Amino acid sequence: MTTPSQQERLVAERLVGASPAQVFALLTDPARHQETEPGEWVRDALDTTPVTGVGQVFGMNMYLDSFGDYVMHNEVTVFEQDRALAWVPGQYDEEGRLDTGGWVWRYDLAAEGDGTRVRLTYDWSGTPQAVRDEIGGMPPFGVDFLHQSLESLETALGR
């Protein structure tokens, strides 16, 4: 039986030829974040300070044809060294509070042979209906985007 939360998430996996420590180091480096995504949606980091724990916020310049240039601030919600990293994207409101959209990006890493099994999950189960309507429906892409992201991650690890 599929639960509502399973219906509201996409998951992709890929075995990459790098250690969990190497994958985690790349994922926690905002300066290299754009290398983990296909296309030009993610641009450059506002601050290149590495991610070191839960509660930290890292900002990224972004671009979509439908929105133009914009900034997303990502609050880290899971930080397990060399095992898992997750964040909720959002934008600061007029009072300086981070207003997240309710979706989560999560990477889970597991050593496998000489490489790492990387599981990428995009979960939008916490996204309010008003935000879903503003975006034009959830998810704004298919599971193929996650597979392309993992391919980009593997390419970046070879650099």
Side-chain angles (χ1 to χ4, degrees):
M1 184 165 116
T2 302
T3 66
S5 64
Q6 288 173 319
Q7 294 173 353
E8 295 187 322
R9 78 173 131 192
L10 299 174
V11 178
E13 288 188 6
R14 186 178 186 102
L15 181 61
V16 300
S19 71
Q22 290 169 312
V23 177
F24 198 79
L26 175 61
L27 293 173
T28 57
D29 183 352
R32 296 192 66 198
H33 191 77
Q34 77 275 11
E35 296 176 48
T36 68
E37 296 298 328
E40 297 182 4
W41 182 19
V42 179
R43 298 292 171 97
D44 58 330
L46 297 178
D47 180 355
T48 59
T49 303
V51 174
T52 58
V54 171
Q56 185 174 347
V57 176
F58 64 97
M60 301 299 300
N61 287 308
M62 310 283 287
Y63 177 82
L64 282 176
D65 287 338
S66 56
F67 292 109
D69 290 313
Y70 64 103
V71 173
M72 291 300 285
H73 295 276
N74 304 290
E75 182 177 2
V76 177
T77 57
V78 174
F79 185 97
E80 297 175 23
Q81 186 71 44
D82 302 338
R83 293 185 33 208
L85 181 69
W87 61 83
V88 291
Q91 296 177 320
Y92 286 104
D93 65 17
E94 296 80 29
E95 286 82 38
R97 293 179 302 229
L98 186 61
D99 183 21
T100 63
W103 59 87
V104 178
W105 289 99
R106 180 180 174 121
Y107 289 85
D108 290 285
L109 314 176
E112 186 172 317
D114 291 336
T116 302
R117 171 84 40 201
V118 181
R119 174 182 288 185
L120 173 56
T121 303
Y122 177 77
D123 183 331
W124 66 94
S125 59
T127 304
Q129 189 60 49
V131 174
R132 293 172 190 236
D133 294 344
E134 181 182 335
I135 291 172
M138 296 296 282
F141 44 75
V143 73
D144 57 321
F145 182 82
L146 274 67
H147 287 289
Q148 292 168 4
S149 292
L150 292 174
E151 183 178 348
S152 295
L153 172 70
E154 184 171 32
T155 299
L157 287 163
R159 293 183 187 160

